[in-house]
Amino acid sequence: SGENNRWINHGENGFLVPVSNPRELAKHIIKLLKNKELRNSMGVKARKTIINQNDYIIEMDKMNTLYQKLLQ
């Protein structure tokens, strides 16, 4: 839950729910269970977020660049 707000746009590619609010979490789970189109849409958008912001190859390239700078 530490950085979820960096990855999730509430209602677009997921839901942000306070840790101390299980009723709110249940409400969103039920909403997704009842709406296949919303589930699919959010899933596609969430996957794009991960690919765009945390792709393994891109992240390793960043690490390599930083490492190379340290060696200079």
Side-chain angles (χ1 to χ4, degrees):
S1 65
E3 294 186 338
N4 287 344
N5 60 345
R6 290 182 57 208
W7 299 86
I8 304 297
N9 295 320
H10 184 78
E12 186 177 322
N13 64 345
F15 293 112
L16 292 169
V17 179
V19 174
S20 61
N21 195 338
R23 288 186 190 274
E24 185 74 8
L25 176 60
K27 180 180 94 174
H28 291 302
I29 291 171
I30 291 167
K31 184 177 186 175
L32 290 169
L33 288 171
K34 290 181 175 181
N35 189 332
K36 184 178 181 179
E37 185 177 321
L38 180 61
R39 277 195 318 269
N40 291 338
S41 169
M42 279 190 162
V44 167
K45 290 175 184 174
R47 183 66 185 144
K48 283 182 184 177
T49 298
I50 294 300
I51 289 169
N52 292 335
Q53 294 184 17
N54 201 33
D55 176 72
Y56 176 80
I57 301 298
I58 293 170
E59 293 304 307
M60 290 301 102
D61 284 345
K62 289 179 192 175
M63 292 301 294
N64 187 47
T65 299
L66 288 172
Y67 182 70
Q68 294 302 320
K69 286 180 182 179
L70 288 171
L71 293 175
Q72 296 175 355

